[in-house]
Amino acid sequence: MDTEVGAALDRAARTALVHADRVATVPRGAWPDGGLLPVSGASGRAAALQMRVSQVDGPTDLGYQRYVPSLSVVLVGRKRSIVGDDDQQWGREHFLITPVDLPVVAGVTDVEDRGFVSVVWRLDPVVVGEVVASMSRSTVPLVEPPRLGTWTPALADAFARLVGLLDTPEDVPVLFPLVSREVVLRLLQTEQAPRILAALDNESVVARAAALLID
């Protein structure tokens, strides 16, 4: 892993561990879905950032998950994700863009002394659409992407600053709109750009913006 990427994800992991919702065990088939958690305690800060931060003590059974359009990141440990015929185990070296209503079977496979820590961040269709519309068509990769994305230093740094807002809720009203747009921009500059666009409803502002780019 690139040293800059590793350092940024280390920063994100340290912050996430402070604010994670701890789950001691996950019953079979009951792995929490990709929606936002109720606004309470540490979850309130995460929900304000359209984010879920979870810590699991040990390996879990496989179970179905349902996500809104989202960026999924494993900061500590490893998990197994099955989408159709694609079955992969992955950790912090990759990230996952998950479309709406795509059935995903997943579970934690490996933990460290800190357990398993993950972040799921909701992709706001309006924000994605605004960023896409502002980009030139030549800057948005349109080839079929691999299932798992690979970090760039710029993306990892922006993501770490997004997670870092959990420590400074007073900064969220000003910085969250800026940092969230930067994360979306950096995602669209990776090979996962088509998956972000494909994850969104055909009637959304994002799809209309994407159509302009590929027309």
Side-chain angles (χ1 to χ4, degrees), residues 93-109:
E93 72 277 9
H94 293 296
F95 60 88
L96 178 68
I97 300 296
T98 307
V100 178
D101 291 332
L102 181 69
V104 178
V105 178
V108 174
T109 59

Side-chain angles (χ1 to χ4, degrees), residues 74-152:
V74 173
L75 291 172
V76 181
R78 297 183 69 79
K79 71 183 296 184
R80 180 183 178 191
S81 296
I82 305 173
V83 181
D85 295 330
D86 188 272
D87 184 345
Q88 299 196 52
Q89 293 194 39
W90 57 286
R92 72 177 198 157
E93 72 277 9
H94 293 296
F95 60 88
L96 178 68
I97 300 296
T98 307
V100 178
D101 291 332
L102 181 69
V104 178
V105 178
V108 174
T109 59
D110 295 297
V111 299
E112 299 179 10
D113 56 352
R114 298 172 291 177
F116 171 90
V117 180
S118 65
V119 173
V120 177
W121 182 58
R122 180 171 184 166
L123 295 168
D124 186 326
V126 173
V127 172
V128 176
E130 291 172 353
V131 175
V132 169
S134 69
M135 299 173 68
S136 68
R137 66 185 67 190
S138 63
T139 61
V140 180
L142 294 174
V143 297
E144 180 66 23
R147 170 54 55 185
L148 297 175
T150 301
W151 292 98
T152 64

Side-chain angles (χ1 to χ4, degrees), residues 122-194:
R122 180 171 184 166
L123 295 168
D124 186 326
V126 173
V127 172
V128 176
E130 291 172 353
V131 175
V132 169
S134 69
M135 299 173 68
S136 68
R137 66 185 67 190
S138 63
T139 61
V140 180
L142 294 174
V143 297
E144 180 66 23
R147 170 54 55 185
L148 297 175
T150 301
W151 292 98
T152 64
L155 173 58
D157 178 65
F159 176 76
R161 284 185 279 111
L162 178 68
V163 175
L165 290 175
L166 290 167
D167 286 335
T168 56
E170 67 278 6
D171 294 340
V172 168
V174 174
L175 293 182
F176 177 61
L178 302 176
V179 179
S180 61
R181 281 163 173 77
E182 182 180 356
V183 173
V184 169
L185 172 65
R186 300 309 182 190
L187 284 169
L188 287 167
Q189 291 172 338
T190 73
E191 77 284 0
Q192 292 297 306

Side-chain angles (χ1 to χ4, degrees), residues 30-51:
W31 182 255
D33 67 18
L36 298 179
L37 290 172
V39 178
S40 62
S43 299
R45 289 193 181 188
L49 298 174
Q50 300 290 289
M51 184 182 294

